[in-house]
Amino acid sequence: MPNVQSTSLVTDLASPPDFSQTYFDKLLLSRAMYYFYHSRWATSRPLRQKTGLNVVMRRYLHLNPQITALTQGEPPEGKIPALDDYTAALSQFGDFISTTDFAEMTATDPFLNEFYELLGEQAGYSVDTIYRNVAVAGTSNIIYTNGTARTAVTSILDNNDLDRMIRSLSSVGGRTMIGGMAVSQANSNMYPVLPGYPCVIHPNTYHDIQNISGFRSVETYKAAGNMMEGEVGRYRQLVFFVAPDADSLGAGARVFTSGGGTSSAVDNTAGTVDVYASIVFAKDGFTIVPLDGTSTRTITKERGSAGTADPLSQISTMGWITSITSLRTNESWLGRFESAASL
């Protein structure tokens, strides 16, 4: 047996089509990009190769206003800027599929494209989930729909929750990331909208938000060709993007199953409320750090490429690998709702 660290060899599929590695790179990566629900709102700071494993990001704090008049001929004391350092370490992630020559010689469908698409989806969901798990662990600027902790949540979102989040971000200088739109003569039937903060939500949360007074569905303020991927609507300065979890893989918007209080009047598991996290991004509140030039690439190993580890040239593999890290670079500019969802 070749030294391939996989317990699942595909052994019953047909001969693959003869496509180039470049084609498969594009196929996998384009499939992955669609699932970057959270990282699309992050600030990207690629780390150059051969500059170390650990990332340190530094932010100098604002200087206090100087409003005291100077005394003639006497300089002020001056200031020593304070700073915050944020650190993270790069990690590698990846996966692969192994196939055998027998599969390629006997199966009847062109499986290679499908496998690359599956891997592309997995790469997209995986990387986005890794980033999401860092963003959703923010320690401040959390709005619970009721109570003061996740374990108390039994209510769905309402106007007051949304208004408090807008106030919370804007009052600390959180900058919007999505531009506003005025009414033009060409689109006089569209509503004008303010610049906004992107908010990533679960489809079950969307079901509740669209019933809130003041919510505008995306088709009421944008023409079809101008809609952003996943955008479903706005409430004042919040712009909502749905992040579903296909096949309950644990991806998309974060759900804390049985994380809330006790209630059977909202979505629950055995009487304990499922809590839905909705992350709101202000500019520079969340940062991702890919390793420059190596982020999310495909790796293909042909049969026999393992040398003596594959002496009969039976095994080929295809997979993806990435080197990334992420960090919350301003807790005040990264908000989160924790809410129940209606039945």
Side-chain angles (χ1 to χ4, degrees):
M1 172 65 72
N3 186 24
V4 176
Q5 301 300 311
S6 175
T7 58
S8 301
L9 290 175
V10 178
T11 59
D12 59 354
L13 295 175
S15 178
D18 182 19
F19 296 123
S20 70
Q21 179 65 38
T22 300
Y23 170 77
F24 286 122
D25 280 342
K26 291 179 180 178
L27 177 66
L28 190 152
L29 294 176
S30 64
R31 188 114 169 187
M33 285 294 291
Y34 180 75
Y35 301 107
F36 290 167
Y37 299 118
H38 298 83
S39 60
R40 66 193 290 194
W41 309 118
T43 301
S44 182
R45 294 283 187 266
L47 179 68
R48 293 197 310 270
Q49 294 187 39
K50 302 184 184 301
T51 56
L53 171 68
N54 297 306
V55 180
V56 179
M57 294 193 177
R58 174 165 294 174
R59 184 178 70 243
Y60 286 94
L61 306 183
H62 291 293
L63 297 175
N64 291 329
Q66 172 55 25
I67 58 176
T68 302
L70 297 177
T71 301
Q72 185 175 351
E74 295 184 13
E77 291 184 3
K79 297 290 191 297
I80 299 175
L83 58 87
D84 286 334
D85 279 346
Y86 299 85
T87 61
L90 282 174
S91 296
Q92 280 193 319
F93 303 90
D95 206 353
F96 69 94
I97 296 174
S98 304
T99 63
T100 67
D101 61 337
F102 194 72
E104 297 179 17
M105 292 186 291
T106 59
T108 59
D109 64 320
F111 65 91
L112 199 55
N113 271 26
E114 288 298 319
F115 282 2
Y116 270 99
E117 291 188 357
L118 285 173
L119 287 165
E121 288 181 346
Q122 183 198 37
Y125 276 127
S126 298
V127 171
D128 190 65
T129 301
I130 292 163
Y131 289 144
R132 179 206 68 188
N133 289 346
V134 175
V136 82
T139 56
S140 65
N141 206 9
I142 307 167
I143 292 178
Y144 303 103
T145 49
N146 65 279
T148 58
R150 181 178 301 149
T151 53
V153 170
T154 57
S155 301
I156 66 174
L157 285 165
D158 61 19
N159 297 72
N160 183 57
D161 300 319
L162 304 184
D163 289 337
R164 285 191 294 150
M165 179 61 74
I166 295 169
R167 180 183 64 183
S168 177
L169 290 172
S170 60
S171 65
V172 294
R175 290 176 290 172
T176 56
M177 300 186 68
I178 300 173
M181 292 176 54
V183 175
S184 65
Q185 285 186 329
N187 292 299
S188 58
N189 61 328
M190 297 287 181
Y191 288 101
V193 290
L194 295 167
Y197 304 102
C199 178
V200 181
I201 61 175
H202 191 277
N204 290 357
T205 305
Y206 171 49
H207 174 77
D208 295 327
I209 287 177
Q210 65 182 334
N211 293 314
I212 292 177
S213 176
F215 173 85
R216 296 200 184 282
S217 187
V218 64
E219 71 274 7
T220 66
Y221 60 85
K222 277 190 177 180
N226 296 324
M227 296 178 186
M228 300 178 69
E229 192 74 58
E231 183 180 359
V232 294
R234 295 192 182 212
Y235 174 87
R236 296 181 61 194
Q237 288 177 277
L238 295 176
V239 188
F240 300 103
F241 295 82
V242 169
D245 178 15
D247 297 325
S248 299
L249 299 172
R254 182 67 190 272
V255 181
F256 297 95
T257 304
S258 298
T262 301
S263 176
S264 58
V266 292
D267 189 32
N268 66 91
T269 301
T272 303
V273 172
D274 298 331
V275 177
Y276 292 81
S278 305
I279 305 175
V280 187
F281 297 86
K283 187 174 177 59
D284 295 330
F286 183 60
T287 301
I288 61 173
V289 185
L291 184 60
D292 193 25
T294 66
S295 184
T296 313
R297 67 190 191 278
T298 57
I299 306 293
T300 302
K301 301 294 184 181
E302 301 295 339
R303 295 195 307 272
S305 61
T308 57
D310 185 14
L312 300 181
S313 298
Q314 294 172 289
I315 305 298
S316 62
T317 62
M318 61 195 78
W320 62 272
I321 191 169
T322 190
S323 302
I324 56 173
T325 191
S326 61
L327 58 165
R328 302 183 303 277
T329 39
N330 192 322
E331 296 280 0
S332 297
W333 294 347
L334 190 66
R336 183 170 82 251
F337 298 109
E338 297 208 1
S339 65
S342 59
L343 292 171

